[in-house]
Amino acid sequence: MSERLETGDTAPDFTLPDADGTEVSLGDRRGRKVIVYFYPAALTPGCTKQACDFTDNLDLLAGAGYDVIGISPDKPEKLAKFREKENLRVTLLADPDKKVLERYGAFGEKKLYGKTVTGVIRSTVVVDEDGKVERALYNVKATGHVAKIIKDLGV
């Protein structure tokens, strides 16, 4: 199991392909706050709800200085289908080898329907303008999570 990040840690930098195959780096966002959220799979009910909630609140978050990046183990082609089908405006990145998921503590053992399994741990990490972890939330729920983040951040 990978180490979970804590407030004050330096957020691990990453470069991953987006839904169009264009490389996106966290380091390129220095000077802006970034909400990085990790989800198990595109085109599934919970992940769709969460992505749509972020998209619906994207203008509010952007106005408060936040970029939003969603990361899953899906390939860019599947992310493109997800984006088109749901009219998503958040940046979706592909991490099929799960290296970034592991570095952020968002991949490992979790409980699923009472059984212990290994997989993506639904998580959100808020990174400040200097690349430091402002908050790290693990085992979050897909529904209501975006509203909670907005409230917690005072947006």
Side-chain angles (χ1 to χ4, degrees):
M1 170 121 162
S2 37
E3 291 283 317
R4 292 190 169 180
L5 296 176
E6 296 182 14
T7 301
D9 287 349
T10 298
D13 199 9
F14 57 78
T15 300
L16 293 170
D18 69 8
D20 299 315
T22 303
E23 299 281 308
V24 174
S25 297
L26 179 63
D28 293 343
R29 308 285 171 115
R30 278 279 153 47
R32 285 192 60 81
K33 299 175 199 170
V34 184
I35 297 170
V36 183
Y37 78 97
F38 299 91
Y39 62 99
L43 300 166
T44 58
C47 298
T48 297
K49 173 75 176 121
Q50 188 177 22
C52 288
D53 282 353
F54 271 119
T55 291
D56 291 346
N57 289 285
L58 196 57
D59 292 339
L60 176 69
L61 291 164
Y66 291 93
D67 291 342
V68 178
I69 296 174
I71 299 177
S72 75
D74 298 305
K75 292 191 175 350
E77 301 79 29
K78 186 172 180 188
L79 296 179
K81 283 183 194 153
F82 187 34
R83 180 186 62 198
E84 302 313 315
K85 181 173 189 269
E86 302 299 336
N87 295 312
L88 300 175
R89 293 187 299 130
V90 295
T91 300
L92 300 175
L93 302 183
D95 184 22
D97 62 11
K98 304 174 188 75
K99 283 193 168 59
V100 174
L101 285 154
E102 288 172 354
R103 289 173 62 206
Y104 274 76
F107 188 84
E109 284 189 357
K110 63 180 184 175
K111 293 278 189 205
L112 188 66
Y113 306 113
K115 292 186 176 162
T116 300
V117 298
T118 300
V120 175
I121 299 162
R122 193 181 301 276
S123 312
T124 301
V125 176
V126 180
V127 181
D128 72 13
E129 300 92 337
D130 299 317
K132 298 281 188 200
V133 175
E134 191 176 303
R135 319 174 173 245
L137 309 162
Y138 293 92
N139 294 308
V140 301
K141 301 280 182 229
T143 304
H145 177 62
V146 175
K148 181 181 180 342
I149 285 200
I150 289 169
K151 182 176 180 244
D152 289 354
L153 294 175
V155 175

